[in-house]
Amino acid sequence: MCLFAASLALASPAVAQERRPLPDYDGRVEPGDDAVDALLWIPRVVTAPLYAISEFVLRRPIGWLLTEIERANVLQTIAGVLTFGAERNIGVFPTAFFDFGLVPSVGVYAFWNRFLFSENRISVHGATWGEDWLSLAVADRVTLADGIEVFVSNRLLRRPDAIFGGIGHSASANGRARFAVSLVETRVGIDAVGIGPFSMHAALQHRSIGFGESNWNGSPSMSEWFGQRSQPLPHGYPDGYQSLGGRITAALDSRARGAAPEGGARIGVLVGETGTIDGPQRNAWLVVGGELELAADIESHHVISVRGEVAALTGHDDVAIPFYELLDPGGTGPMRGFLAGTLRGESVAAMTLEYAWPVWVFLNGRLHVTCGNAFERHFADFAVERLRLSFGLGLEPRIAGEHPFDLQIALGTSTFENGTSVESVRFVVGARNGL
């Protein structure tokens, strides 16, 4: 046996030298790297740190945790306890949401599929954090065909922590005012999604809104804030108003809905009209907007995209738009480093560079850098030096649904002309009300 092993070891170099080259079975020349392959190395090198973060800080730890949860049948156990009916078509789930800098909330989300008839779904979400923070939303959806639903929803909200940071490019997260808001809203509309590349959302909406003074978390009230600046209170405050309006959004997206991040393109448009229907001065205004996104898959569903968004409110020059109806790029908008209400304006422009990657089968990671701001009517005060930055890292579901999970850390800066210093730090975790 030893002699055989020795002879085999001595013969192996000769055997290696005698190996013939691999035959060219198809007779075609092997393709070399083209210009696109060469150019893709640039974003691959630039995003290498992002890949390291996504792979070793997020994807692998979260993947391990979720794998262990699946292995222990935790999700099945929870679903078995919190869902009911012969087909598990009724569910009740506890919820919690924390957007630090605002009042947190805890509540209950419930649904009933095939309520009264098979195409009907009713959903309810209630949340609270004491008697001055209450929220209740009820929605009823009826499926007309695959991907097409009609709906009616009602929402009641009362909270003491709404934010006013200013109007136009000079709005700031520093020294912002607080106010209380009470809202009753009814919406009726239609959703069409998953019809090839096309999606559409159309709705009519009635809102009744009231305001009140608040010094939540030691912040100045609206009267104190405007009094310190010797400025008049914004239109609509504190009397409140009722409004009636309609809005349509439509988009074409080459990417599959609910899939892992992939390259492609998206173009979307927004148009609508709203007006106040009470008070001595009844005003009406239009909203128009659009977005364009281009995305490239640099490797295995790790995608870099560039997205531009603009929106504007317009009407006659003497039309006064209530401040609560102004466009807001913060919150769930493109500039997520700012709490909702910090930035308001009659025009908004934003350009976002985003890196997205799959974290789990239903979960994507996203890292964004956005340059934009809110401006006055018709972008009258727009200038490059009046733009500001928002950047951050987050996790979100591939399909938002009625109660989407949200986890993000983001920062927002002052304008370029004011040094681009960080003035807003935002941390969000929990499940939003998507009804």
Side-chain angles (χ1 to χ4, degrees):
M1 179 65 72
C2 292
L3 290 175
F4 175 76
S7 63
L8 184 60
L10 291 173
S12 59
V15 172
Q17 293 176 357
E18 293 175 1
R19 286 177 180 169
R20 62 187 180 88
L22 184 67
D24 184 8
Y25 293 108
D26 58 12
R28 293 181 294 181
V29 178
E30 290 295 325
D33 292 340
D34 57 18
V36 175
D37 292 328
L39 290 174
L40 283 176
W41 275 105
I42 298 174
R44 285 171 180 166
V45 172
V46 171
T47 59
L50 307 181
Y51 175 80
I53 293 173
S54 70
E55 184 70 13
F56 299 105
V57 178
L58 292 176
R59 192 187 71 82
R60 292 195 181 189
I62 294 175
W64 173 83
L65 176 62
L66 294 174
T67 300
E68 293 302 313
I69 289 175
E70 288 182 330
R71 183 175 295 153
N73 294 321
V74 173
L75 298 179
Q76 292 87 338
T77 302
I78 293 175
V81 172
L82 301 179
T83 58
F84 314 93
E87 299 177 346
R88 297 293 176 181
N89 59 314
I90 304 171
V92 180
F93 294 85
T95 68
F97 185 74
F98 299 87
D99 193 346
F100 290 83
L102 297 172
V103 177
S105 65
V106 293
V108 175
Y109 165 69
F111 68 87
W112 189 336
N113 291 331
R114 295 180 289 281
F115 177 70
L116 299 181
F117 55 97
S118 61
E119 294 80 13
N120 191 38
R121 173 188 176 94
I122 189 169
S123 306
V124 179
H125 178 259
T128 186
W129 195 261
E131 63 181 12
D132 58 351
W133 201 113
L134 300 169
S135 174
L136 176 65
V138 181
D140 192 5
R141 289 181 170 270
V142 177
T143 301
L144 301 181
D146 288 344
I148 302 178
E149 296 179 334
V150 293
F151 67 88
V152 58
S153 66
N154 293 276
R155 181 166 70 110
L156 292 85
L157 174 67
R158 182 171 72 183
R159 61 187 307 164
D161 59 342
I163 291 173
F164 182 87
I167 297 175
H169 74 273
S170 59
S172 174
N174 296 323
R176 57 202 173 194
R178 299 278 182 166
F179 60 94
V181 60
S182 300
L183 178 147
V184 179
E185 178 184 271
T186 299
R187 298 169 64 242
V188 178
I190 182 170
D191 283 330
V193 296
I195 307 175
F198 177 75
S199 63
M200 183 199 70
H201 171 83
L204 295 175
Q205 173 180 280
H206 174 267
R207 304 172 92 185
S208 178
I209 301 176
F211 303 109
E213 293 284 276
S214 176
N215 293 106
W216 187 81
N217 201 30
S219 299
S221 68
M222 291 284 277
S223 297
E224 293 169 345
W225 194 90
F226 280 91
Q228 293 168 2
R229 292 160 176 78
S230 301
Q231 297 176 359
L233 291 167
H235 183 67
Y237 188 92
D239 298 330
Y241 59 92
Q242 293 188 58
S243 68
L244 181 65
R247 182 171 293 195
I248 298 175
T249 60
L252 290 173
D253 197 328
S254 65
R255 298 161 297 185
R257 181 173 181 265
E262 59 184 353
R266 172 186 170 88
I267 183 170
V269 294
L270 159 68
V271 63
E273 182 177 11
T274 303
T276 54
I277 58 174
D278 65 344
Q281 184 179 6
R282 299 186 181 185
N283 297 319
W285 57 93
L286 298 175
V287 57
V288 293
E291 65 170 315
L292 175 64
E293 180 179 2
L294 301 175
D297 191 335
I298 57 176
E299 187 170 359
S300 301
H301 297 292
H302 288 67
V303 174
I304 288 183
S305 63
V306 177
R307 180 173 59 256
E309 302 172 68
V310 294
L313 303 176
T314 184
H316 294 295
D317 292 339
D318 60 345
V319 168
I321 302 174
F323 82 100
Y324 202 71
E325 300 290 332
L326 297 179
L327 301 172
D328 182 358
T332 57
M335 307 200 71
R336 299 190 177 187
F338 295 92
L339 289 166
T342 303
L343 309 176
R344 300 178 192 266
E346 296 188 30
S347 306
V348 165
M351 181 71 73
T352 300
L353 176 65
E354 187 174 80
Y355 172 63
W357 66 96
V359 175
W360 190 47
V361 62
F362 299 122
L363 198 63
N364 293 334
R366 296 189 182 276
L367 191 150
H368 84 274
V369 178
T370 300
C371 181
N373 207 349
F375 300 96
E376 296 177 3
R377 187 172 298 186
H378 302 149
F379 297 96
D381 57 338
F382 177 85
V384 172
E385 60 269 21
R386 291 172 176 172
L387 298 171
R388 63 179 77 225
L389 297 177
S390 168
F391 50 94
L393 175 70
L395 299 176
E396 60 184 33
R398 294 179 184 174
I399 298 180
E402 293 182 335
H403 207 63
F405 173 77
D406 193 359
L407 172 62
Q408 62 175 299
I409 301 172
L411 293 86
T413 76
S414 60
T415 58
F416 292 146
E417 63 183 358
N418 290 325
T420 328
S421 57
V422 173
E423 65 177 25
S424 174
V425 178
R426 190 170 175 221
F427 176 60
V428 180
V429 61
R432 294 183 177 276
N433 172 25
L435 298 182

